[in-house]
């Protein structure tokens, strides 16, 4: 269960997270579902982290049908620092909470099975936590790709064009943040606010960080922290991922309104604009509107044309990219924007309900 955000103290009452003695140990937590192609590298980069004290890795294993289950148990049998706990619900926040409760150390590092931690990541994060007395710190997500399609998605992730300029998708100065990518957390602080909200299948990290900030704790962005992320491998997986993510963001807007960043409203605005352009085009073709009215309504095509030029320009400036990657970029970026925006609108209107991200279920 989570605490009601309305019951937490206001942002103005600042608090330091509890200090943790050096050498107290670190718990890495990793929710996993159908990640046979990435799990071994993710585990290797995690266990290679140098930490002052003992470490453990708790894998919250959702029902998988691609060999992930067997691989996870094999890795655990080879290294006694790895523990596997079952996550039959297959929901990410449920798995995160199961892993946290099965772990023991006062600093918790969230790891994504689709990611790889850079050398020195954990030690740097702990130093930032100690120095700032924050409850959570995250860094940048550097997307990478193996195929032309995946590299096109990675380029979009790493650009403000693709995901709208969230701090963890780029670089910048160390600062307080509204959320943290993955996150290196103080156990005492996140247990105080109630861990992850299990009613939110997506966006639960943002929501927990909101509660941390409302409780007076700092959430920090440290650009020197870097995590390699491998995006979805196909167009349909990407579409499903962004549709579900957008719908859950719409649910968060239903719950928390404009405490969500205004940049989240750009994709649904694009969907509305494209819908208006399609309507005007049909009215003109059908002869329903003519003359001065048609000319005025046709102004809706101007921002659509500008958007198309921006996407074309983004594709063209990828000088080191192959032609296939550039062509995929023309499809990838609008897919991300339109799927997310459409999902957002449905989420605001109807709520997320039982929406799940099936992008890693059907492979």
């Amino acid at each position: 269960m989570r605490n009601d955000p309305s019951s937490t103290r206001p942002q103005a009452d600042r608090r330091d997270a509890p200090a943790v003695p050096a050498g107290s140990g670190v718990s890495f937590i990793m929710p996993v579902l159908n990640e046979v192609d990435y799990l071994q590298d993710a585990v290797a980069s995690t266990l290679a982290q140098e930490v002052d004290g003992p470490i453990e890795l708790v894998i919250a294993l959702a029902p998988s049908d691609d060999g992930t289950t067997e691989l996870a148990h094999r890795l655990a049998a080879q290294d006694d620092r790895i523990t596997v706990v079952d996550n039959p619900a297959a929901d990410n926040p449920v798995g995160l909470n199961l892993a946290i409760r099965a772990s023991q150390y006062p600093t918790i590092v969230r790891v994504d099975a689709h990611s790889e931690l850079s050398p020195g990541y954990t030690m740097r994060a702990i130093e930032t936590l100690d120095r700032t007395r924050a409850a959570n710190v995250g860094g940048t997500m550097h997307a990478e790709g193996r195929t032309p399609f995946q590299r096109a998605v990675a380029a979009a992730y790493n650009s403000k064009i693709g995901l709208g300029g969230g701090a963890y998708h780029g670089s910048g100065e160390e600062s307080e943040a509204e959320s943290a990518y993955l996150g290196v957390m103080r156990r005492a602080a996140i247990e105080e606010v109630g861990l992850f909200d299990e009613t939110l299948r997506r966006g639960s990290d943002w929501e927990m960080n909101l509660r941390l900030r409302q409780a007076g704790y700092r959430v920090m962005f440290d650009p020197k922290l870097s995590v390699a992320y491998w995006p979805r491998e196909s167009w349909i997986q990407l579409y499903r991922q962004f549709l579900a993510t957008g719908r859950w963001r719409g649910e968060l807007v239903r719950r928390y309104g404009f405490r969500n960043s205004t940049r989240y409203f750009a994709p649904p605005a694009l969907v509305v604009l494209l819908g208006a352009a399609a309507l005007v085009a049909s009215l003109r073709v059908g002869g329903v509107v003519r003359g001065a009215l048609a000319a005025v309504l046709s102004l809706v095509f101007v921002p659509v044309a500008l958007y198309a030029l921006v996407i074309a320009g983004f594709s063209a400036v990828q000088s080191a990219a192959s032609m296939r990657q550039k062509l995929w970029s023309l499809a990838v970026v609008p897919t991300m924007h339109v799927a997310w925006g459409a999902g957002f609108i449905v989420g605001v209107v109807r709520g997320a309900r039982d929406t799940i991200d099936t992008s890693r279920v059907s492979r």
Side-chain angles (χ1 to χ4, degrees), residues 31 74 106 116 160 165 168 182 185 194 208 213 237 270 318 334:
R74 185 164 66 250
E116 296 172 27
K160 291 184 178 180
Y168 62 82
L182 298 182
M185 302 162 270
M208 187 185 72
R213 291 185 289 111
Q237 288 179 328
L270 173 65
Q318 299 177 57

Side-chain angles (χ1 to χ4, degrees), residues 70-84:
E70 295 77 9
L71 175 59
H73 285 290
R74 185 164 66 250
L75 293 171
Q78 295 169 355
D79 195 316
D80 60 10
R81 294 173 295 176
I82 302 175
T83 300
V84 177

Side-chain angles (χ1 to χ4, degrees), residues 22-348:
S24 299
V26 174
S27 297
F28 296 89
I29 60 170
M30 180 188 297
V32 174
L33 169 64
N34 283 337
E35 295 288 4
V36 71
D37 294 333
Y38 298 93
L39 179 60
Q40 189 156 354
D41 289 341
V43 168
S45 77
T46 299
L47 296 180
Q49 294 291 298
E50 295 182 358
V51 172
D52 181 14
I55 70 171
E56 64 178 346
L57 168 60
V58 182
I59 296 175
L61 182 62
S64 301
D65 57 11
D66 68 341
T68 294
T69 299
E70 295 77 9
L71 175 59
H73 285 290
R74 185 164 66 250
L75 293 171
Q78 295 169 355
D79 195 316
D80 60 10
R81 294 173 295 176
I82 302 175
T83 300
V84 177
V85 296
D86 289 329
N87 175 21
D91 287 344
N92 215 45
V94 174
L96 289 168
N97 287 344
L98 286 169
I100 291 169
R101 293 181 180 117
S103 66
Q104 59 181 312
Y105 297 124
T107 300
I108 296 172
V109 181
R110 178 178 170 181
V111 188
D112 187 350
H114 235 54
S115 300
E116 296 172 27
L117 303 181
S118 59
Y121 174 90
T122 305
M123 287 294 288
R124 169 71 192 189
I126 291 174
E127 186 277 327
T128 302
L129 285 176
D130 289 340
R131 174 169 45 82
T132 64
R133 296 294 296 277
N136 193 7
V137 61
T140 60
M141 179 183 73
H142 183 73
E144 300 181 6
R146 294 169 178 164
T147 65
F149 174 83
Q150 200 176 41
R151 286 194 291 270
V153 178
Y157 265 87
N158 295 332
S159 167
K160 291 184 178 180
I161 296 297
L163 294 181
Y168 62 82
H169 296 296
S171 59
E173 300 295 326
E174 180 181 292
S175 62
E176 293 192 37
E178 67 171 346
S179 190
Y181 175 58
L182 298 182
V184 179
M185 302 162 270
R186 295 304 195 195
R187 176 187 296 274
I190 64 173
E191 287 182 340
E192 176 190 327
V193 300
L195 302 183
F196 291 90
D197 184 345
E198 296 182 4
T199 70
L200 292 170
R201 286 183 168 141
R202 302 303 294 264
S204 59
D205 50 350
W206 178 90
E207 192 274 343
M208 187 185 72
N209 282 300
L210 172 64
R211 283 183 280 124
L212 284 172
R213 291 185 289 111
Q214 288 179 321
Y217 292 118
R218 281 176 289 278
V219 175
M220 296 298 297
F221 167 70
D222 184 347
K224 293 184 178 180
L225 298 175
S226 178
V227 179
Y229 172 79
W230 299 94
R232 302 301 193 265
E233 299 93 339
S234 70
W235 182 86
I236 190 62
Q237 288 179 328
L238 183 73
Y239 169 78
R240 290 171 176 173
Q241 176 194 13
F242 274 76
L243 189 68
T245 302
R247 187 157 181 180
W248 278 105
R249 179 55 62 176
E251 174 69 31
L252 286 170
V253 168
R254 284 170 66 94
R255 298 189 190 191
Y256 302 110
F258 284 92
R259 278 177 283 185
N260 293 266
S261 172
T262 55
R263 66 187 175 88
Y264 294 128
F265 295 86
L270 173 65
V271 171
V272 172
L273 179 66
L274 292 174
L279 176 61
V280 171
S282 65
L283 292 175
R284 290 199 59 176
V285 169
V288 177
V289 294
R290 299 173 183 171
L293 178 59
V296 171
L297 293 177
S298 295
L299 291 175
V300 74
F301 298 127
V302 174
V304 173
L306 291 174
Y307 176 77
L309 286 173
V310 169
I311 301 304
F314 171 72
S315 173
V317 298
Q318 299 177 57
S319 57
S322 67
M323 183 55 66
R324 288 183 64 191
Q325 179 181 331
K326 291 182 178 182
L327 291 174
W328 269 123
S329 292
L330 297 175
V332 159
V333 178
T335 296
M336 293 165 64
H337 292 165
V338 173
W340 200 100
F344 179 95
I345 292 171
V346 174
V348 168

